[in-house]
Amino acid sequence: MLTRFAPSPTGDLHVGNVRTALVCWMHTRNQNGKFLLRFDDTDLQRSDIKYIDSIMHDLKWIGMDWNLSFKQSERFLRYNEVLLQLMEEGHIYACYETKEELDIKRKLQLKQGLPPVYDRSALLLTEQCKINYEQEGRKPHFRFKLNRDEIVKWNDEVKGEITIATSHISDPIVKREDGNYTYMLPSVIDDIDFDITHVVRGEDHLTNTAVQIQMAQALKAKVPIFAHLSLLHFDDNKISKRTGGLSIKSIREDEIEPMALCSYLAKLGTSDSIEAHIDMQSLIDSFDIKKFSSSSTQFHLDEVHKLNSKILQNMPFEAVKERLTQIDSEFWYFIRNNIEKFSEVAKWWQICKSDIEPVIFDEEFIKIALNTLPKGKCDENTLSEWVKIIKEKIDIKSKALFMQLRLALTGREAGPELAKLLTFIGREKIIERLKMRNHNSAAIA
Ligand code: GLU
């Protein structure tokens, strides 16, 4: 099996593209096949090298790799060669209409209630007409002549049996008057030249597939197997409508672990349950493209956040130790159950080990707390003993007591289990925090 992911380097990757990439990649890896990364940069004006870099960076971040990558702009000579061959065989023809002329034709057709399909009038041009146009300064654009009598059929790995009549499709423009190729033909040429066996892409390409099957047939090539994934829907207003989803950059900035996103995207819209996977191999092993539903799927960012917490909870110290300096395994195994994002590890470590600003409501309470702190090294029983002694001294509700201690010792209203936190803060710092505040308050008084 040989598949490819073919982004256009005209913007950053978003969740929708990455889902396609990941599904395609998993499909290949599951079958021990090869995966190719192709940059569809035929539109030289809109393509930018910076997006090639950012796309590669995002894919690597996700955990994907590829056996080969190339840019379509490296292959223009090859595309010209095929274009010429197809012209000689009558599959491609030159057209001279301007954009405005085409626009007028389209509007007229619509007015008459006809589908706005190109009328092929360029096929009637005489050689002299073409010469005249060129002398006028017009440059030709080129169209692929569809076989309108044929109903294109294929058995889609996701959508099942598909039939598309090409009678309502305009002959697609394959090369523009400015010399730029459109996406359509180079993609087919590359898929043939690189022996692509399976094409996985979004269902927005279904009509293109009908056209591209006819192109492959015109080139007497084997047609690959197609799998068209249903589109993701994003209902969150924060998500850009223009790009059709969240960017991977924003996902990364949101501190979502790549495996949380992979766990979600590899199973979203399938019959499998969505679970937190901490390694890619388990996802690859259970992958089956046939499990993808042909109806559209809703993307929920909060589900990814939930998976993120679960993934952090399941991560062994070995997997994170390079990302953590100072922090030991004992702290990791405690804190991982209490965080949603990785940066919270460092935050809680700082809270335990560095200076914080304690929050004090009741000076009297803090004085009692200081005087009743059990002797000896803090362990997990210290807090319960301490609370018992305080309660013997004053009449206070447990909730208020815990809250006051937490605020005084961590400066936060909420957080991980206090009993365990105290073991990391340590007796010395507990006293320091309680005293520091008392001393300050006394000074103010
Ligand atoms: N460049 C195309 C896109 O981004 C590729 C489609 C395909 O996979 O053939 O939609």
Side-chain angles (χ1 to χ4, degrees), residues 4 6-8 38 40 183 187 199-201 205 212:
R4 87 301 192 273
S8 303
R38 181 184 89 201
D40 287 1
Y183 148 75
S187 179
V199 171
V200 179
R201 58 189 180 190
H205 283 285
Q212 290 180 325

PDB file of all heavy atoms in Angstrom, residues 4 6-8 38 40 183 187 199-201 205 212, ligand 1:
ATOM      1  N   ARG A   4      -0.768   8.914   0.166  1.00  0.00           N
ATOM      2  CA  ARG A   4      -0.151  10.243   0.244  1.00  0.00           C
ATOM      3  C   ARG A   4      -1.094  11.217   0.913  1.00  0.00           C
ATOM      4  O   ARG A   4      -2.319  11.082   0.858  1.00  0.00           O
ATOM      5  CB  ARG A   4       0.282  10.710  -1.144  1.00  0.00           C
ATOM      6  CG  ARG A   4      -0.722  11.438  -2.021  1.00  0.00           C
ATOM      7  CD  ARG A   4      -1.967  10.701  -2.347  1.00  0.00           C
ATOM      8  NE  ARG A   4      -2.784  11.270  -3.382  1.00  0.00           N
ATOM      9  CZ  ARG A   4      -3.727  12.203  -3.229  1.00  0.00           C
ATOM     10  NH1 ARG A   4      -3.996  12.687  -2.053  1.00  0.00           N
ATOM     11  NH2 ARG A   4      -4.431  12.640  -4.256  1.00  0.00           N
ATOM     12  N   ALA A   6      -1.668  15.330   0.719  1.00  0.00           N
ATOM     13  CA  ALA A   6      -1.260  16.345  -0.258  1.00  0.00           C
ATOM     14  C   ALA A   6      -1.787  17.736   0.098  1.00  0.00           C
ATOM     15  O   ALA A   6      -2.684  18.252  -0.561  1.00  0.00           O
ATOM     16  CB  ALA A   6      -1.752  15.924  -1.644  1.00  0.00           C
ATOM     17  N   PRO A   7      -1.240  18.337   1.135  1.00  0.00           N
ATOM     18  CA  PRO A   7      -1.746  19.675   1.490  1.00  0.00           C
ATOM     19  C   PRO A   7      -1.253  20.758   0.526  1.00  0.00           C
ATOM     20  O   PRO A   7      -0.196  20.607  -0.091  1.00  0.00           O
ATOM     21  CB  PRO A   7      -1.136  19.907   2.880  1.00  0.00           C
ATOM     22  CG  PRO A   7       0.129  19.109   2.865  1.00  0.00           C
ATOM     23  CD  PRO A   7      -0.147  17.900   2.005  1.00  0.00           C
ATOM     24  N   SER A   8      -2.027  21.821   0.412  1.00  0.00           N
ATOM     25  CA  SER A   8      -1.559  22.989  -0.343  1.00  0.00           C
ATOM     26  C   SER A   8      -0.888  23.903   0.676  1.00  0.00           C
ATOM     27  O   SER A   8      -1.508  24.249   1.677  1.00  0.00           O
ATOM     28  CB  SER A   8      -2.741  23.730  -0.958  1.00  0.00           C
ATOM     29  OG  SER A   8      -3.457  22.842  -1.769  1.00  0.00           O
ATOM     30  N   ARG A  38       3.104  15.156  -0.100  1.00  0.00           N
ATOM     31  CA  ARG A  38       3.240  15.926  -1.341  1.00  0.00           C
ATOM     32  C   ARG A  38       2.694  17.337  -1.120  1.00  0.00           C
ATOM     33  O   ARG A  38       1.602  17.490  -0.571  1.00  0.00           O
ATOM     34  CB  ARG A  38       2.416  15.222  -2.427  1.00  0.00           C
ATOM     35  CG  ARG A  38       2.480  15.883  -3.776  1.00  0.00           C
ATOM     36  CD  ARG A  38       1.551  15.169  -4.734  1.00  0.00           C
ATOM     37  NE  ARG A  38       0.218  15.737  -4.696  1.00  0.00           N
ATOM     38  CZ  ARG A  38      -0.877  15.094  -5.109  1.00  0.00           C
ATOM     39  NH1 ARG A  38      -0.812  13.856  -5.547  1.00  0.00           N
ATOM     40  NH2 ARG A  38      -2.054  15.695  -5.067  1.00  0.00           N
ATOM     41  N   ASP A  40       1.094  20.439  -2.672  1.00  0.00           N
ATOM     42  CA  ASP A  40       0.384  20.895  -3.872  1.00  0.00           C
ATOM     43  C   ASP A  40       0.571  22.406  -4.014  1.00  0.00           C
ATOM     44  O   ASP A  40      -0.307  23.196  -3.662  1.00  0.00           O
ATOM     45  CB  ASP A  40      -1.100  20.519  -3.776  1.00  0.00           C
ATOM     46  CG  ASP A  40      -1.322  19.024  -3.979  1.00  0.00           C
ATOM     47  OD1 ASP A  40      -0.321  18.298  -4.168  1.00  0.00           O
ATOM     48  OD2 ASP A  40      -2.487  18.585  -3.953  1.00  0.00           O
ATOM     49  N   TYR A 183      -5.065  22.293  -9.453  1.00  0.00           N
ATOM     50  CA  TYR A 183      -4.802  21.092  -8.670  1.00  0.00           C
ATOM     51  C   TYR A 183      -5.062  19.792  -9.445  1.00  0.00           C
ATOM     52  O   TYR A 183      -4.335  18.796  -9.307  1.00  0.00           O
ATOM     53  CB  TYR A 183      -5.680  21.174  -7.403  1.00  0.00           C
ATOM     54  CG  TYR A 183      -6.137  19.850  -6.881  1.00  0.00           C
ATOM     55  CD1 TYR A 183      -5.242  19.017  -6.195  1.00  0.00           C
ATOM     56  CD2 TYR A 183      -7.438  19.409  -7.099  1.00  0.00           C
ATOM     57  CE1 TYR A 183      -5.657  17.785  -5.739  1.00  0.00           C
ATOM     58  CE2 TYR A 183      -7.850  18.182  -6.645  1.00  0.00           C
ATOM     59  CZ  TYR A 183      -6.961  17.373  -5.968  1.00  0.00           C
ATOM     60  OH  TYR A 183      -7.359  16.152  -5.537  1.00  0.00           O
ATOM     61  N   SER A 187      -2.202  16.301  -9.771  1.00  0.00           N
ATOM     62  CA  SER A 187      -2.471  15.317  -8.716  1.00  0.00           C
ATOM     63  C   SER A 187      -2.584  13.909  -9.311  1.00  0.00           C
ATOM     64  O   SER A 187      -2.041  12.936  -8.772  1.00  0.00           O
ATOM     65  CB  SER A 187      -3.768  15.705  -7.996  1.00  0.00           C
ATOM     66  OG  SER A 187      -4.052  14.768  -7.005  1.00  0.00           O
ATOM     67  N   VAL A 199      -6.061   6.544  -2.104  1.00  0.00           N
ATOM     68  CA  VAL A 199      -6.202   7.989  -1.876  1.00  0.00           C
ATOM     69  C   VAL A 199      -7.246   8.193  -0.783  1.00  0.00           C
ATOM     70  O   VAL A 199      -8.400   7.776  -0.928  1.00  0.00           O
ATOM     71  CB  VAL A 199      -6.628   8.722  -3.174  1.00  0.00           C
ATOM     72  CG1 VAL A 199      -6.979  10.178  -2.889  1.00  0.00           C
ATOM     73  CG2 VAL A 199      -5.514   8.650  -4.219  1.00  0.00           C
ATOM     74  N   VAL A 200      -6.793   8.793   0.315  1.00  0.00           N
ATOM     75  CA  VAL A 200      -7.713   9.103   1.414  1.00  0.00           C
ATOM     76  C   VAL A 200      -7.826  10.623   1.477  1.00  0.00           C
ATOM     77  O   VAL A 200      -6.819  11.317   1.555  1.00  0.00           O
ATOM     78  CB  VAL A 200      -7.148   8.584   2.766  1.00  0.00           C
ATOM     79  CG1 VAL A 200      -8.103   8.924   3.915  1.00  0.00           C
ATOM     80  CG2 VAL A 200      -6.889   7.089   2.710  1.00  0.00           C
ATOM     81  N   ARG A 201      -9.032  11.143   1.401  1.00  0.00           N
ATOM     82  CA  ARG A 201      -9.224  12.593   1.475  1.00  0.00           C
ATOM     83  C   ARG A 201     -10.659  12.917   1.868  1.00  0.00           C
ATOM     84  O   ARG A 201     -11.489  12.020   2.038  1.00  0.00           O
ATOM     85  CB  ARG A 201      -8.835  13.247   0.148  1.00  0.00           C
ATOM     86  CG  ARG A 201      -9.595  12.729  -1.046  1.00  0.00           C
ATOM     87  CD  ARG A 201      -8.977  13.284  -2.315  1.00  0.00           C
ATOM     88  NE  ARG A 201      -9.661  12.829  -3.507  1.00  0.00           N
ATOM     89  CZ  ARG A 201      -9.203  13.022  -4.734  1.00  0.00           C
ATOM     90  NH1 ARG A 201      -8.073  13.657  -4.929  1.00  0.00           N
ATOM     91  NH2 ARG A 201      -9.870  12.589  -5.782  1.00  0.00           N
ATOM     92  N   HIS A 205     -14.021  16.248  -2.012  1.00  0.00           N
ATOM     93  CA  HIS A 205     -13.343  15.926  -3.276  1.00  0.00           C
ATOM     94  C   HIS A 205     -14.104  14.913  -4.138  1.00  0.00           C
ATOM     95  O   HIS A 205     -13.588  14.485  -5.170  1.00  0.00           O
ATOM     96  CB  HIS A 205     -11.945  15.385  -2.993  1.00  0.00           C
ATOM     97  CG  HIS A 205     -10.958  16.465  -2.644  1.00  0.00           C
ATOM     98  ND1 HIS A 205     -10.423  17.307  -3.566  1.00  0.00           N
ATOM     99  CD2 HIS A 205     -10.433  16.841  -1.454  1.00  0.00           C
ATOM    100  CE1 HIS A 205      -9.599  18.161  -2.988  1.00  0.00           C
ATOM    101  NE2 HIS A 205      -9.590  17.903  -1.693  1.00  0.00           N
ATOM    102  N   GLN A 212     -11.066  12.969 -11.908  1.00  0.00           N
ATOM    103  CA  GLN A 212      -9.706  12.413 -11.890  1.00  0.00           C
ATOM    104  C   GLN A 212      -9.675  10.944 -12.318  1.00  0.00           C
ATOM    105  O   GLN A 212      -8.688  10.495 -12.892  1.00  0.00           O
ATOM    106  CB  GLN A 212      -9.091  12.619 -10.496  1.00  0.00           C
ATOM    107  CG  GLN A 212      -8.802  14.118 -10.271  1.00  0.00           C
ATOM    108  CD  GLN A 212      -8.196  14.425  -8.923  1.00  0.00           C
ATOM    109  OE1 GLN A 212      -8.528  13.785  -7.930  1.00  0.00           O
ATOM    110  NE2 GLN A 212      -7.324  15.428  -8.873  1.00  0.00           N
TER     111      GLN A 212
HETATM  112  N1  GLU B   1      -4.242  19.734  -2.291  1.00  0.00           N
HETATM  113  C1  GLU B   1      -5.506  19.064  -2.196  1.00  0.00           C
HETATM  114  C2  GLU B   1      -6.228  19.539  -0.961  1.00  0.00           C
HETATM  115  O1  GLU B   1      -5.580  20.059  -0.069  1.00  0.00           O
HETATM  116  C3  GLU B   1      -5.276  17.582  -2.179  1.00  0.00           C
HETATM  117  C4  GLU B   1      -6.460  16.751  -2.343  1.00  0.00           C
HETATM  118  C5  GLU B   1      -6.086  15.304  -2.593  1.00  0.00           C
HETATM  119  O2  GLU B   1      -5.819  14.632  -1.602  1.00  0.00           O
HETATM  120  O3  GLU B   1      -5.999  14.904  -3.732  1.00  0.00           O
HETATM  121  O4  GLU B   1      -7.423  19.446  -0.863  1.00  0.00           O
END
